[in-house]
Each structure stands twice: as structure tokens, then as C-alpha cells.
């Protein structure tokens, strides 16, 4: 019997968790919903590597390699300072009852999480995408204007999922979940 085809449209939720030991994290914290139509998958095409032979139209060998990292990109409108700190590092100075985020002092912070996003349930199912070990790079990408909000642009780069014992697991998954 064929499985029912999911309708994967819209983002109902996305979240982060501490990376597990070569497996996805389990205690997820929600992130503010992204801007409408502002989630993109940037999975790179592989480049062909081949060994050509003189006098032949067919290569001796043909293979493929990726020369760039895959990532999922989201834009979060008007984030709170706690979200900025989680995704950009730095500190929150709450002295004198103020809410002030201060950037990291020493370059780009080294931040990794398990990242998940799930589609809006449709036709009794949803799709959950997971990057097991995602390197996070975030920046304020748009200043607020009269017609547009401040945006936090976040990229979740796919990294290898390797246990402390050196066992490599899957780095990305797509799960179809039945909902009532």
C-alpha cells in the first residue's frame, strides 16, 4: 500500500536544542516564527569530478563532490534580545532593569544546535526537517523602516553528526508525521 503524500507548505514552528552525542538534541526551545516566505533550503549541487581519456568520449571515472556547506536560512522579524543572544552570542546586560544585548567581544561566536522546523499540518500530516548538528551564523540584516521590520537573518549550516566514540550518523532528516 502506498503511503499518503504529505503537503509540505508553511512553517508552523521551528526550534533549537543542545546537540546530542551524534544524534539530534531532545529538549527543544521554540524560536519566534520567521517572516512569511522567508525560509529557504540552500542545499548545494555537487560538482562533477572526472578523468577524461584521450580519444574517448566517455570518461574513465566520473564522480561528484560538494565544495560548499548546506544550510537552512530563516529571517526572524523583531526578535527579542534573548533570541539574539542564543543565535549571535554576546551578553545581555540587565542592570538597572534595562534590556540591552551586547555583541560578542572576540569575533564570530562558535554556536551549534540541533535545528528543527515543521510545516503547517495539512491533509492529516506535517513534515519535520532536522539538522542534527547545525553551526549557527546570525546577523541583523535589515534595519527597521516605516514599511519593514528589523530582521535577524539566521543560517543553520549542516555539520557532521559524530559521537564521542567517533561513530558517524546522519546529519539531516525529513520526517513525515501523521497528525490528528
Amino acid at each position: 500500500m502506498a503511503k499518503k503524500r504529505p503537503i509540505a507548505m508553511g512553517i508552523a514552528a521551528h526550534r533549537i536544542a543542545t546537540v546530542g552525542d551524534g544524534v539530534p538534541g531532545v529538549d527543544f526551545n521554540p524560536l519566534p516564527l520567521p517572516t512569511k516566505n522567508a525560509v529557504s533550503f540552500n542545499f548545494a549541487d555537487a560538482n562533477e569530478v572526472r578523468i577524461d581519456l584521450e580519444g574517448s568520449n566517455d570518461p574513465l571515472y566520473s564522480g561528484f563532490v560538494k565544495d560548499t556547506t548546506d544550510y537552512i536560512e530563516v529571517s526572524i522579524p523583531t526578535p527579542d534580545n534573548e533570541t539574539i543572544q542564543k543565535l549571535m552570542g554576546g551578553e545581555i546586560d540587565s542592570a538597572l532593569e534595562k534590556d540591552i544585548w551586547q555583541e560578542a567581544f572576540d569575533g564570530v561566536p562558535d554556536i551549534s544546535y540541533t535545528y528543527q522546523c515543521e510545516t503547517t499540518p495539512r491533509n492529516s500530516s506535517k513534515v519535520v526537517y532536522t539538522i542534527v548538528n547545525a553551526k549557527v551564523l546570525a546577523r541583523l540584516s535589515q534595519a527597521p523602516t516605516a514599511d519593514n521590520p528589523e530582521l535577524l537573518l539566521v543560517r543553520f549550516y549542516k555539520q557532521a553528526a559524530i559521537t564521542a566514540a567517533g561513530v558517524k550518523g546522519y546529519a539531516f532528516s525529513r520526517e513525515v508525521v501523521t497528525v490528528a
Side-chain angles (χ1 to χ4, degrees):
M1 186 166 125
K3 295 203 179 230
K4 185 168 47 169
R5 185 175 180 174
I7 305 297
M9 290 179 65
I11 300 298
H14 67 146
R15 52 194 163 265
I16 54 175
T18 301
V19 178
D21 185 23
V23 296
V26 291
D27 293 324
F28 284 91
N29 296 303
L31 293 171
L33 282 174
T35 302
K36 185 177 180 179
N37 297 323
V39 176
S40 62
F41 288 1
N42 291 290
F43 295 155
D45 289 332
N47 293 322
E48 181 183 15
V49 175
R50 55 190 270 165
I51 300 171
D52 290 322
L53 297 174
E54 284 293 333
S56 174
N57 290 332
D58 300 316
L60 174 67
Y61 170 82
S62 181
F64 297 93
V65 296
K66 289 179 101 174
D67 63 358
T68 190
T69 307
D70 297 334
Y71 62 90
I72 295 175
E73 183 174 86
V74 301
S75 291
I76 299 173
T78 64
D80 57 43
N81 280 341
E82 288 78 19
T83 299
I84 293 172
Q85 181 188 28
K86 285 179 190 175
L87 300 174
M88 290 181 64
E91 299 293 329
I92 293 183
D93 181 356
S94 56
L96 303 174
E97 297 182 22
K98 292 185 178 180
D99 184 12
I100 302 171
W101 170 78
Q102 299 167 343
E103 68 181 344
F105 294 120
D106 51 359
V108 180
D110 188 9
I111 301 171
S112 294
Y113 291 113
T114 293
Y115 174 73
Q116 278 189 343
C117 67
E118 67 180 52
T119 63
T120 303
R122 297 179 193 275
N123 203 19
S124 302
S125 67
K126 65 182 177 181
V127 178
V128 179
Y129 303 94
T130 303
I131 297 177
V132 175
N133 181 13
K135 177 69 72 178
V136 180
L137 181 62
R139 65 183 170 89
L140 293 169
S141 67
Q142 177 176 291
T145 65
D147 298 329
N148 293 296
E150 169 190 53
L151 288 179
L152 179 65
L153 178 67
V154 187
R155 289 183 177 173
F156 296 95
Y157 287 87
K158 185 176 72 167
Q159 301 181 109
I162 303 172
T163 67
V167 178
K168 187 175 180 183
Y170 69 90
F172 177 77
S173 68
R174 177 186 184 270
E175 178 184 9
V176 178
V177 178
T178 302
V179 294

PDB file of all heavy atoms in Angstrom, residues 5 11 31 34 36 42 49 54 88 113 129 134 151 163 166 168 174:
ATOM      1  N   ARG A   5       0.872  10.987   0.333  1.00  0.00           N
ATOM      2  CA  ARG A   5       1.825  12.050   0.036  1.00  0.00           C
ATOM      3  C   ARG A   5       1.542  13.263   0.921  1.00  0.00           C
ATOM      4  O   ARG A   5       0.420  13.774   0.949  1.00  0.00           O
ATOM      5  CB  ARG A   5       1.688  12.424  -1.428  1.00  0.00           C
ATOM      6  CG  ARG A   5       2.663  13.403  -1.937  1.00  0.00           C
ATOM      7  CD  ARG A   5       2.446  13.551  -3.423  1.00  0.00           C
ATOM      8  NE  ARG A   5       3.357  14.492  -4.006  1.00  0.00           N
ATOM      9  CZ  ARG A   5       3.434  14.700  -5.299  1.00  0.00           C
ATOM     10  NH1 ARG A   5       2.660  14.037  -6.127  1.00  0.00           N
ATOM     11  NH2 ARG A   5       4.285  15.575  -5.774  1.00  0.00           N
ATOM     12  N   ILE A  11       5.442  27.199   7.541  1.00  0.00           N
ATOM     13  CA  ILE A  11       6.210  26.820   8.728  1.00  0.00           C
ATOM     14  C   ILE A  11       5.323  27.071   9.946  1.00  0.00           C
ATOM     15  O   ILE A  11       4.921  28.200  10.216  1.00  0.00           O
ATOM     16  CB  ILE A  11       7.517  27.634   8.839  1.00  0.00           C
ATOM     17  CG1 ILE A  11       8.401  27.411   7.611  1.00  0.00           C
ATOM     18  CG2 ILE A  11       8.260  27.301  10.133  1.00  0.00           C
ATOM     19  CD1 ILE A  11       8.864  25.990   7.398  1.00  0.00           C
ATOM     20  N   LEU A  31      11.696  28.998  18.656  1.00  0.00           N
ATOM     21  CA  LEU A  31      12.165  30.288  18.158  1.00  0.00           C
ATOM     22  C   LEU A  31      10.946  31.058  17.671  1.00  0.00           C
ATOM     23  O   LEU A  31       9.942  30.449  17.274  1.00  0.00           O
ATOM     24  CB  LEU A  31      13.145  30.089  16.997  1.00  0.00           C
ATOM     25  CG  LEU A  31      14.485  29.450  17.339  1.00  0.00           C
ATOM     26  CD1 LEU A  31      15.259  29.126  16.063  1.00  0.00           C
ATOM     27  CD2 LEU A  31      15.298  30.362  18.241  1.00  0.00           C
ATOM     28  N   PRO A  34       9.330  32.708  11.721  1.00  0.00           N
ATOM     29  CA  PRO A  34      10.018  33.524  10.719  1.00  0.00           C
ATOM     30  C   PRO A  34       9.042  34.383   9.927  1.00  0.00           C
ATOM     31  O   PRO A  34       7.830  34.164   9.969  1.00  0.00           O
ATOM     32  CB  PRO A  34      10.682  32.487   9.823  1.00  0.00           C
ATOM     33  CG  PRO A  34       9.839  31.272   9.955  1.00  0.00           C
ATOM     34  CD  PRO A  34       9.289  31.298  11.357  1.00  0.00           C
ATOM     35  N   LYS A  36       6.968  35.538   6.808  1.00  0.00           N
ATOM     36  CA  LYS A  36       6.284  34.749   5.782  1.00  0.00           C
ATOM     37  C   LYS A  36       7.156  34.639   4.535  1.00  0.00           C
ATOM     38  O   LYS A  36       7.713  35.630   4.062  1.00  0.00           O
ATOM     39  CB  LYS A  36       4.946  35.409   5.440  1.00  0.00           C
ATOM     40  CG  LYS A  36       4.096  34.618   4.487  1.00  0.00           C
ATOM     41  CD  LYS A  36       2.764  35.321   4.272  1.00  0.00           C
ATOM     42  CE  LYS A  36       1.890  34.544   3.321  1.00  0.00           C
ATOM     43  NZ  LYS A  36       0.595  35.212   3.139  1.00  0.00           N
ATOM     44  N   ASN A  42      19.144  25.827   1.295  1.00  0.00           N
ATOM     45  CA  ASN A  42      20.270  26.096   0.404  1.00  0.00           C
ATOM     46  C   ASN A  42      21.172  24.870   0.408  1.00  0.00           C
ATOM     47  O   ASN A  42      22.211  24.848   1.064  1.00  0.00           O
ATOM     48  CB  ASN A  42      21.021  27.356   0.844  1.00  0.00           C
ATOM     49  CG  ASN A  42      20.193  28.589   0.629  1.00  0.00           C
ATOM     50  OD1 ASN A  42      19.961  28.987  -0.496  1.00  0.00           O
ATOM     51  ND2 ASN A  42      19.702  29.182   1.710  1.00  0.00           N
ATOM     52  N   VAL A  49      33.526  15.505 -10.844  1.00  0.00           N
ATOM     53  CA  VAL A  49      34.966  15.267 -10.918  1.00  0.00           C
ATOM     54  C   VAL A  49      35.123  14.081 -11.868  1.00  0.00           C
ATOM     55  O   VAL A  49      34.490  13.042 -11.674  1.00  0.00           O
ATOM     56  CB  VAL A  49      35.560  14.910  -9.530  1.00  0.00           C
ATOM     57  CG1 VAL A  49      37.014  14.553  -9.650  1.00  0.00           C
ATOM     58  CG2 VAL A  49      35.345  16.049  -8.558  1.00  0.00           C
ATOM     59  N   GLU A  54      42.188  10.463 -23.543  1.00  0.00           N
ATOM     60  CA  GLU A  54      42.400  10.888 -24.933  1.00  0.00           C
ATOM     61  C   GLU A  54      41.718   9.898 -25.868  1.00  0.00           C
ATOM     62  O   GLU A  54      41.776   8.687 -25.658  1.00  0.00           O
ATOM     63  CB  GLU A  54      43.902  10.945 -25.266  1.00  0.00           C
ATOM     64  CG  GLU A  54      44.629  12.133 -24.691  1.00  0.00           C
ATOM     65  CD  GLU A  54      44.193  13.456 -25.294  1.00  0.00           C
ATOM     66  OE1 GLU A  54      43.727  13.504 -26.460  1.00  0.00           O
ATOM     67  OE2 GLU A  54      44.303  14.469 -24.582  1.00  0.00           O
ATOM     68  N   MET A  88      23.335  34.734  18.182  1.00  0.00           N
ATOM     69  CA  MET A  88      24.502  35.543  17.829  1.00  0.00           C
ATOM     70  C   MET A  88      25.572  35.568  18.920  1.00  0.00           C
ATOM     71  O   MET A  88      26.626  36.147  18.724  1.00  0.00           O
ATOM     72  CB  MET A  88      24.079  36.990  17.521  1.00  0.00           C
ATOM     73  CG  MET A  88      23.298  37.146  16.235  1.00  0.00           C
ATOM     74  SD  MET A  88      22.832  38.871  15.891  1.00  0.00           S
ATOM     75  CE  MET A  88      24.404  39.671  15.683  1.00  0.00           C
ATOM     76  N   TYR A 113      23.651  24.044  17.407  1.00  0.00           N
ATOM     77  CA  TYR A 113      22.421  23.495  17.965  1.00  0.00           C
ATOM     78  C   TYR A 113      21.909  22.402  17.033  1.00  0.00           C
ATOM     79  O   TYR A 113      22.302  22.344  15.864  1.00  0.00           O
ATOM     80  CB  TYR A 113      21.308  24.558  18.030  1.00  0.00           C
ATOM     81  CG  TYR A 113      21.495  25.660  19.015  1.00  0.00           C
ATOM     82  CD1 TYR A 113      21.705  26.966  18.584  1.00  0.00           C
ATOM     83  CD2 TYR A 113      21.437  25.426  20.392  1.00  0.00           C
ATOM     84  CE1 TYR A 113      21.854  28.007  19.492  1.00  0.00           C
ATOM     85  CE2 TYR A 113      21.587  26.464  21.301  1.00  0.00           C
ATOM     86  CZ  TYR A 113      21.789  27.746  20.844  1.00  0.00           C
ATOM     87  OH  TYR A 113      21.941  28.768  21.745  1.00  0.00           O
ATOM     88  N   TYR A 129      11.784  18.789   9.453  1.00  0.00           N
ATOM     89  CA  TYR A 129      13.150  18.778   8.934  1.00  0.00           C
ATOM     90  C   TYR A 129      14.101  18.987  10.111  1.00  0.00           C
ATOM     91  O   TYR A 129      13.875  19.879  10.933  1.00  0.00           O
ATOM     92  CB  TYR A 129      13.354  19.910   7.921  1.00  0.00           C
ATOM     93  CG  TYR A 129      12.386  19.856   6.761  1.00  0.00           C
ATOM     94  CD1 TYR A 129      11.208  20.591   6.795  1.00  0.00           C
ATOM     95  CD2 TYR A 129      12.656  19.084   5.644  1.00  0.00           C
ATOM     96  CE1 TYR A 129      10.316  20.550   5.731  1.00  0.00           C
ATOM     97  CE2 TYR A 129      11.770  19.035   4.578  1.00  0.00           C
ATOM     98  CZ  TYR A 129      10.603  19.774   4.626  1.00  0.00           C
ATOM     99  OH  TYR A 129       9.721  19.728   3.576  1.00  0.00           O
ATOM    100  N   ALA A 134      23.912  21.698  13.770  1.00  0.00           N
ATOM    101  CA  ALA A 134      23.892  22.900  12.926  1.00  0.00           C
ATOM    102  C   ALA A 134      24.795  23.988  13.503  1.00  0.00           C
ATOM    103  O   ALA A 134      24.622  24.399  14.644  1.00  0.00           O
ATOM    104  CB  ALA A 134      22.469  23.425  12.803  1.00  0.00           C
ATOM    105  N   LEU A 151      15.122  42.696  10.929  1.00  0.00           N
ATOM    106  CA  LEU A 151      15.202  41.256  10.668  1.00  0.00           C
ATOM    107  C   LEU A 151      16.499  40.675  11.215  1.00  0.00           C
ATOM    108  O   LEU A 151      17.571  41.271  11.055  1.00  0.00           O
ATOM    109  CB  LEU A 151      15.154  40.958   9.170  1.00  0.00           C
ATOM    110  CG  LEU A 151      13.832  41.142   8.454  1.00  0.00           C
ATOM    111  CD1 LEU A 151      13.988  40.817   6.973  1.00  0.00           C
ATOM    112  CD2 LEU A 151      12.746  40.282   9.068  1.00  0.00           C
ATOM    113  N   THR A 163      29.589  10.863  17.060  1.00  0.00           N
ATOM    114  CA  THR A 163      29.570  10.616  18.504  1.00  0.00           C
ATOM    115  C   THR A 163      30.964  10.824  19.094  1.00  0.00           C
ATOM    116  O   THR A 163      31.959  10.889  18.366  1.00  0.00           O
ATOM    117  CB  THR A 163      29.117   9.179  18.822  1.00  0.00           C
ATOM    118  OG1 THR A 163      30.120   8.266  18.355  1.00  0.00           O
ATOM    119  CG2 THR A 163      27.770   8.852  18.194  1.00  0.00           C
ATOM    120  N   GLY A 166      33.393   8.446  17.899  1.00  0.00           N
ATOM    121  CA  GLY A 166      33.802   8.541  16.500  1.00  0.00           C
ATOM    122  C   GLY A 166      32.863   7.891  15.498  1.00  0.00           C
ATOM    123  O   GLY A 166      33.215   7.737  14.335  1.00  0.00           O
ATOM    124  N   LYS A 168      29.908   7.939  12.973  1.00  0.00           N
ATOM    125  CA  LYS A 168      29.213   8.962  12.192  1.00  0.00           C
ATOM    126  C   LYS A 168      27.763   8.564  11.959  1.00  0.00           C
ATOM    127  O   LYS A 168      27.473   7.429  11.596  1.00  0.00           O
ATOM    128  CB  LYS A 168      29.917   9.167  10.849  1.00  0.00           C
ATOM    129  CG  LYS A 168      29.362  10.325  10.059  1.00  0.00           C
ATOM    130  CD  LYS A 168      30.155  10.584   8.801  1.00  0.00           C
ATOM    131  CE  LYS A 168      29.562  11.755   8.050  1.00  0.00           C
ATOM    132  NZ  LYS A 168      30.247  12.006   6.796  1.00  0.00           N
ATOM    133  N   ARG A 174      14.290  14.209   7.126  1.00  0.00           N
ATOM    134  CA  ARG A 174      12.958  14.711   6.776  1.00  0.00           C
ATOM    135  C   ARG A 174      11.967  13.648   7.215  1.00  0.00           C
ATOM    136  O   ARG A 174      11.973  12.536   6.694  1.00  0.00           O
ATOM    137  CB  ARG A 174      12.859  14.937   5.277  1.00  0.00           C
ATOM    138  CG  ARG A 174      11.487  15.383   4.794  1.00  0.00           C
ATOM    139  CD  ARG A 174      11.469  15.441   3.261  1.00  0.00           C
ATOM    140  NE  ARG A 174      10.216  15.938   2.738  1.00  0.00           N
ATOM    141  CZ  ARG A 174       9.158  15.182   2.432  1.00  0.00           C
ATOM    142  NH1 ARG A 174       9.202  13.872   2.609  1.00  0.00           N
ATOM    143  NH2 ARG A 174       8.060  15.726   1.955  1.00  0.00           N
TER     144      ARG A 174
END
